[in-house]
Amino acid sequence: MFNDKKLLVTGGTGSIGNSICKYFNNNGCKEIFSTTTNLNKVKSNQDYIKFKELNLDNIENSDLEEIFDFDVDFLVLNAGLNRDNIFLRMSSQDWNSVINVNLNSSFYLLKHFVKKMVKKRFGRVVFISSVVAHTGNPGQVNYTASKAAISGLVKSLALELSSRNITVNSVAPGFIESNMTDKLTDQQKNTILDRIPMKKLGDSVDVAKAVGFLCSDNANYITGQTLHVNGGLALI
Amino acid sequence: MSDIEERVKKIVVEHLGVEEAKIQGDSKFIDDLGADSLDTVELVMAFEEEFGCEIPDDAAEKIVTLKDAVTYLTANSN
């Protein structure tokens, strides 16, 4: 499905990032690049992915021209960070890190790659957002703010780039079995499960398939949208 | 016509698909030659490639006519 195409997924060592890489690899994607804050996190079964070490919290000081001396057809902005706390206890550092990694880093990566996509007259940009961007979630003021901001960014950028055959969309996962939800206590998990009509957490592959769809020819006429993958948790 | 002007004109003709005769020095890419705002970005990228230089955003924004491009590139290209 993705023969001759090149993909960059940020945060490829996380559960969802890894599933996305795997899905594209299984579907014939020619070259798969990813980023990680620490190359030691790369697993042995990820040898088909070309990893670049990049700290998204400090991306403005990185030489993107040197790190990414290539263009891509698909850019999946997946890397995300959460630093949860009730608002009145949230440190400014936790606020800034989350906004930097989840939102501000996209600005720099898009600047770098979209130029090349405009030139090629082809590109698929997919953000990984979150259901909580649309519903809110206590303890995640920083995280929800960063993810909700992506919704506006997606729409405006989609409008700007549509004439160049570049689509910009996002996938908003609900609660997915991942390194992020692994941190939840059993009690928290049960409370969440009670609210999910499908009565199970999602699989990271479910998210990967949605990303794959938005990058495929089947989604050529879809731009500026959010695709919710949440087992019915929130119908928006 | 200078060599630089000729090369710039060629890029504009190719990129915007306009007839060479229609391009005057003070023709505005957007208002007179039918470019959209992304075309102006692409033109600047093409100039950078052709002349092997980097045009910073604040200078790029001021390049709105053929003459602007020629003046900038005469002063700044290698």
Side-chain angles (χ1 to χ4, degrees):
Chain A
M1 188 167 22
F2 301 123
N3 298 349
D4 301 325
K5 295 283 195 260
K6 286 191 268 183
L7 162 77
L8 170 67
V9 184
T10 59
T13 52
S15 322
I16 293 178
N18 181 40
S19 286
I20 294 169
C21 291
K22 222 192 250 173
Y23 182 81
F24 277 76
N25 190 46
N26 291 341
N27 284 281
C29 193
K30 190 174 79 176
E31 271 189 289
I32 299 175
F33 299 92
S34 189
T35 68
T36 176
T37 42
N38 184 345
L39 287 173
N40 292 329
K41 287 193 207 162
V42 177
K43 296 170 198 89
S44 55
N45 61 0
Q46 294 190 304
D47 55 355
Y48 63 93
I49 305 169
K50 293 169 183 152
F51 271 98
K52 306 280 180 186
E53 204 166 54
L54 180 65
N55 178 6
L56 295 179
D57 198 359
N58 190 25
I59 190 172
E60 66 270 32
N61 295 320
S62 304
D63 186 350
L64 298 188
E65 295 289 339
E66 195 191 313
I67 300 169
F68 302 117
D69 56 347
F70 51 85
D71 61 320
V72 293
D73 302 283
F74 310 135
L75 174 61
V76 180
L77 297 156
N78 159 75
L81 179 76
N82 67 320
R83 292 278 180 268
D84 302 349
N85 209 337
I86 56 166
F87 175 67
L88 290 174
R89 294 246 182 274
M90 186 175 287
S91 68
S92 56
Q93 195 189 348
D94 284 349
W95 168 267
N96 286 326
S97 296
V98 168
I99 298 291
N100 275 342
V101 172
N102 297 4
L103 176 65
N104 292 343
S105 67
S106 309
F107 172 82
Y108 296 95
L109 291 167
L110 286 165
K111 273 255 173 179
H112 181 75
F113 284 105
V114 163
K115 234 181 193 180
K116 298 170 198 274
M117 288 177 175
V118 166
K119 217 169 171 184
K120 274 207 305 195
R121 298 233 169 334
F122 181 84
R124 299 285 175 261
V125 178
V126 181
F127 280 87
I128 303 302
S129 173
S130 170
V131 63
V132 297
H134 304 267
T135 61
N137 200 23
Q140 292 200 304
V141 162
N142 48 0
Y143 187 78
T144 51
S146 70
K147 295 293 188 181
I150 286 168
S151 291
L153 191 166
V154 162
K155 289 177 191 175
S156 300
L157 194 61
L159 291 172
E160 285 192 20
L161 300 175
S162 51
S163 67
R164 297 304 194 271
N165 193 23
I166 300 168
T167 66
V168 186
N169 293 291
S170 73
V171 170
F175 287 94
I176 306 293
E177 299 245 25
S178 70
N179 42 323
M180 219 176 253
T181 51
D182 281 350
K183 290 182 214 156
L184 298 171
T185 63
D186 281 349
Q187 198 193 345
Q188 283 172 317
K189 269 191 193 167
N190 287 333
T191 313
I192 290 163
L193 282 174
D194 279 342
R195 288 165 49 209
I196 303 175
M198 285 195 184
K199 296 293 171 214
K200 58 177 181 184
L201 294 185
D203 192 300
S204 55
V205 177
D206 297 324
V207 179
K209 285 178 181 168
V211 174
F213 166 69
L214 289 171
C215 290
S216 75
D217 287 348
N218 295 325
N220 280 350
Y221 201 53
I222 298 175
T223 194
Q225 303 297 318
T226 298
L227 184 49
H228 293 274
V229 181
N230 64 29
L233 171 65
L235 304 180
I236 312 152
Chain B
M1 196 166 19
S2 73
D3 168 55
I4 288 184
E5 186 174 346
E6 209 156 313
R7 285 155 72 193
V8 168
K9 207 175 223 181
K10 190 163 170 257
I11 289 170
V12 175
V13 167
E14 274 172 16
H15 189 84
L16 300 181
V18 287
E19 285 172 40
E20 194 173 337
K22 283 199 180 148
I23 307 174
Q24 305 296 318
D26 56 358
S27 316
K28 291 203 165 78
F29 298 136
I30 290 182
D31 296 335
D32 302 319
L33 301 176
D36 66 17
S37 48
L38 275 184
D39 285 320
T40 61
V41 175
E42 288 183 74
L43 280 173
V44 167
M45 289 195 287
F47 298 150
E48 288 176 330
E49 211 165 286
E50 169 73 20
F51 293 92
C53 62
E54 202 171 309
I55 306 176
D57 283 347
D58 53 341
E61 275 175 31
K62 290 185 192 128
I63 300 178
V64 297
T65 66
L66 180 85
K67 207 168 137 194
D68 296 336
V70 173
T71 308
Y72 181 86
L73 291 164
T74 306
N76 296 284
S77 68
N78 302 321

